[in-house]
Amino acid sequence: MSEEPRPNILYIMSDDHAAHAMSCYGSVINETPQMDRIADEGMRLDNCFCTNSICTPSRASILTGKYSHLNGVPTLRESMDQRQMTAPKLLQAAGYQTAIFGKWHLGHGGIHDPQGFDRWCVLPGQGLYHDPKMFDQGEERVFEGYATDIITEMSLDWLERRDADRPFFLMTHHKAPHRPWEPDDRHADMYEEIDIPEPANLFDDYSHRGTAAREAKMRIGRDFNERDLKVEPPAGLSEEEFIRWSYQRYIKDYLRCVASVDDNIGRMLDWLDDAGLAQDTVVIYTSDQGFFLGDHGWYDKRFMYEESLRMPFVVRYPREIAAGSVNDDLILNIDFPALFLDYAGLETPRQMQGVSFRDNLRGQTPADWRESFYYRYYMHIDGGHSVWAHYGLRTARYKLIFYYEEEPGPQEWELFDLQEDPMEMHSVYDDPAYAGVVAELKEELARLRSEVGDQENPWPEDW
Ligand code: CA
């Protein structure tokens, strides 16, 4: 074990919070002063990505350091096999005090048994925003109040009672701002008097892309239900007006939920200051994946497109990370556990596929850092949200996506040149000018599939 003092690790994660709804990422639709505080006093990651953009799989990857095909959680339907090696288990064994409060979402059928935590209290599945039922070390209890406040208070209460002589690892996992976007009373009237700016591609017609984008069932307006909208739309709206009205209904509630998360992060940062722990605590704020905020006319995630692929990630650790710094290395959710272990002076176990990015956070990116990464989304039929299964790779400039439906279903490719088309509105897969790029990227995709050990079908027919 390392001789260096081992820092505390406070890992705060929300659910479905996109980076472009954080002011430190240049949001034009809201302000997040407390999240910005972490970025201002630490670092913002501009290229942090998930390897499968959906809740349960991303959470499994964050604990195990493995891709979905190896940790056994490719979709929302699987429970995580708790016998796997996880970062919390290793930290606990190394003397860290460990706890998780809030959303777990890795057990189904009444199984809510986070392993590797001294203390846990988690929501069943998605859980409720108001007066949530939670499993408190296995015991079912109902907590009065708003989930984001409750999860914060549980976290602070545990911190107050901890053994001050040993470092802690705390996972504060908010349910917000996940669907159905129910704000608390304090933020219920926020944005009431204003219109939130619409994204430039709210009325995307899905031309110049494959079938998957056109067929995706997550359109603002058309695919919302009554629970999402909460009130009856005004009578007599045209289709375009209804989309605009639905967007405002949705995005305001979403941002109100974000505002509550932001306030509660402020409470935790203030607590660290008051306790004199700010210097010795690594504070991370992230979300399990990104989200479409009306971009491409969508809500939801799943796609390998930027808004859903990118995870917000801000981190503060004054002993090692320069205030106000920014990093654009390709960093993945599977790297998180290796980072936690590195801070604890522990080696990354061989079965973890991710690597520590502690040096990157210090401004010393290793010379052999990855220049591309593999992504795979499996869940193509889920309660009415249909997004084609796909896998692909992203480099600093390009993104190649291979879509498939149930075999022997259709197969399609998309290629985006992110430098020329950052909004991903025009696939250049069939453009002869990109033939060389396509050939190179296909070769790289085959190499990545082999490297991560994903040999599952289908392979493209026109490989
Ligand atoms: Ca999520």
Side-chain angles (χ1 to χ4, degrees):
M1 203 168 290
S2 159
E3 293 302 309
E4 296 171 52
R6 300 186 300 173
N8 305 304
I9 302 169
L10 170 56
Y11 179 84
I12 308 171
M13 181 163 75
S14 60
D15 195 343
D16 292 0
H17 185 195
H20 53 312
M22 275 169 77
S23 31
C24 57
Y25 280 95
S27 170
V28 294
I29 55 174
N30 69 334
E31 295 282 338
T32 50
Q34 304 302 330
M35 296 170 190
D36 295 4
R37 221 166 121 187
I38 302 174
D40 291 344
E41 296 167 8
M43 182 179 264
R44 185 187 81 216
L45 300 190
D46 277 359
N47 282 322
C48 182
F49 297 109
C50 58
T51 47
N52 180 358
S53 181
I54 192 154
C55 310
T56 302
S58 181
R59 284 155 199 274
S61 287
I62 288 165
L63 290 169
T64 63
K66 295 187 285 196
Y67 271 90
S68 303
H69 62 275
L70 293 187
N71 65 30
V73 189
T75 78
L76 290 175
R77 299 184 202 103
E78 292 82 22
S79 294
M80 190 177 97
D81 185 335
Q82 293 284 308
R83 292 170 297 185
Q84 297 183 76
M85 183 64 74
T86 66
K89 285 185 186 178
L90 294 166
L91 292 166
Q92 186 183 46
Y96 269 71
Q97 299 166 83
T98 59
I100 182 168
F101 300 105
K103 188 162 176 187
W104 172 246
H105 208 194
L106 287 165
H108 298 297
I111 304 164
H112 305 286
D113 59 342
Q115 302 287 304
F117 298 96
D118 305 338
R119 178 83 182 87
W120 54 271
C121 186
V122 297
L123 295 160
Q126 300 288 2
L128 297 175
Y129 275 104
H130 295 280
D131 300 334
K133 179 173 81 180
M134 296 180 80
F135 287 92
D136 184 353
Q137 313 272 115
E139 186 194 336
E140 193 177 312
R141 296 174 59 192
V142 173
F143 293 84
E144 273 181 39
Y146 188 63
T148 309
D149 298 332
I150 291 166
I151 292 162
T152 302
E153 279 148 24
M154 279 178 183
S155 299
L156 292 176
D157 183 60
W158 181 77
L159 286 172
E160 294 278 359
R161 293 161 192 259
R162 83 197 191 286
D163 172 2
D165 294 330
R166 289 193 293 138
F168 64 80
F169 175 71
L170 170 58
M171 302 187 100
T172 298
H173 282 195
H174 291 296
K175 165 191 174 52
H178 192 280
R179 195 180 188 181
W181 314 295
E182 292 175 7
D184 65 338
D185 292 342
R186 221 159 7 121
H187 301 91
D189 297 327
M190 210 173 171
Y191 310 114
E192 198 58 42
E193 303 303 321
I194 60 165
D195 281 340
I196 306 289
E198 292 170 359
N201 55 0
L202 177 63
F203 292 94
D204 194 345
D205 64 0
Y206 312 108
S207 56
H208 309 295
R209 273 146 293 161
T211 313
R214 211 160 44 242
E215 289 199 345
K217 292 191 178 61
M218 44 199 234
R219 282 199 207 168
I220 297 279
R222 187 192 71 182
D223 296 324
F224 280 143
N225 61 38
E226 289 169 9
R227 207 173 155 213
D228 299 325
L229 295 177
K230 303 176 189 75
V231 295
E232 283 288 317
L237 296 182
S238 68
E239 190 184 336
E240 187 183 310
E241 288 165 342
F242 178 62
I243 289 170
R244 292 213 145 99
W245 177 85
S246 300
Y247 168 74
Q248 294 296 331
R249 276 299 306 140
Y250 151 63
I251 200 69
K252 286 182 182 180
D253 277 347
Y254 179 94
L255 296 177
R256 289 161 180 153
C257 292
V258 169
S260 167
V261 174
D262 194 63
D263 288 353
N264 276 287
I265 287 174
R267 292 170 74 186
M268 299 196 83
L269 296 176
D270 289 346
W271 186 91
L272 290 173
D273 286 344
D274 293 346
L277 292 173
Q279 289 293 315
D280 296 310
T281 303
V282 178
V283 180
I284 291 166
Y285 174 70
T286 186
S287 175
D288 57 351
Q289 7 72 206
F291 214 67
F292 295 103
L293 306 177
D295 318 282
H296 297 289
W298 293 329
Y299 62 94
D300 216 331
K301 53 258 183 179
R302 301 161 197 269
F303 269 106
M304 199 185 160
Y305 296 144
E306 291 294 277
E307 295 85 353
S308 129
L309 182 67
R310 173 169 289 106
M311 305 168 83
F313 193 106
V314 289
V315 53
R316 183 184 79 178
Y317 181 34
R319 293 201 190 282
E320 291 190 5
I321 302 173
S325 51
V326 176
N327 172 289
D328 65 358
D329 300 329
L330 299 176
I331 288 168
L332 306 176
N333 58 352
I334 57 168
D335 297 328
F336 296 3
L339 177 72
F340 305 150
L341 297 173
D342 195 350
Y343 280 126
L346 300 170
E347 295 287 325
T348 307
R350 282 185 59 190
Q351 64 261 49
M352 289 190 178
Q353 297 179 293
V355 289
S356 171
F357 51 104
R358 186 177 179 176
D359 285 341
N360 309 56
L361 300 184
R362 280 194 277 229
Q364 296 159 4
T365 298
D368 59 351
W369 194 255
R370 70 170 69 86
E371 292 181 358
S372 64
F373 73 89
Y374 180 65
Y375 175 92
R376 184 163 183 173
Y377 171 77
Y378 298 78
M379 188 160 185
H380 45 303
I381 300 167
D382 158 40
H385 296 267
S386 176
V387 171
W388 285 25
H390 55 286
Y391 59 78
L393 88 161
R394 188 192 188 283
T395 67
R397 176 163 176 184
Y398 296 107
K399 186 183 292 177
L400 179 69
I401 311 176
F402 169 70
Y403 295 94
Y404 60 94
E405 271 286 15
E406 296 286 354
E407 286 187 274
Q411 301 189 345
E412 289 183 4
W413 292 92
E414 286 177 339
L415 171 68
F416 294 100
D417 181 341
L418 299 170
Q419 189 175 295
E420 301 298 322
D421 177 25
M423 291 172 74
E424 299 165 301
M425 299 296 286
H426 200 128
S427 168
V428 289
Y429 181 79
D430 292 320
D431 183 338
Y434 286 89
V437 172
V438 166
E440 271 174 38
L441 291 178
K442 282 187 174 178
E443 205 168 297
E444 177 64 2
L445 182 57
R447 188 193 70 77
L448 282 171
R449 292 201 81 197
S450 170
E451 182 181 277
V452 305
D454 184 8
Q455 299 298 318
E456 281 174 49
N457 284 330
W459 283 82
E461 284 155 12
D462 60 344
W463 195 253

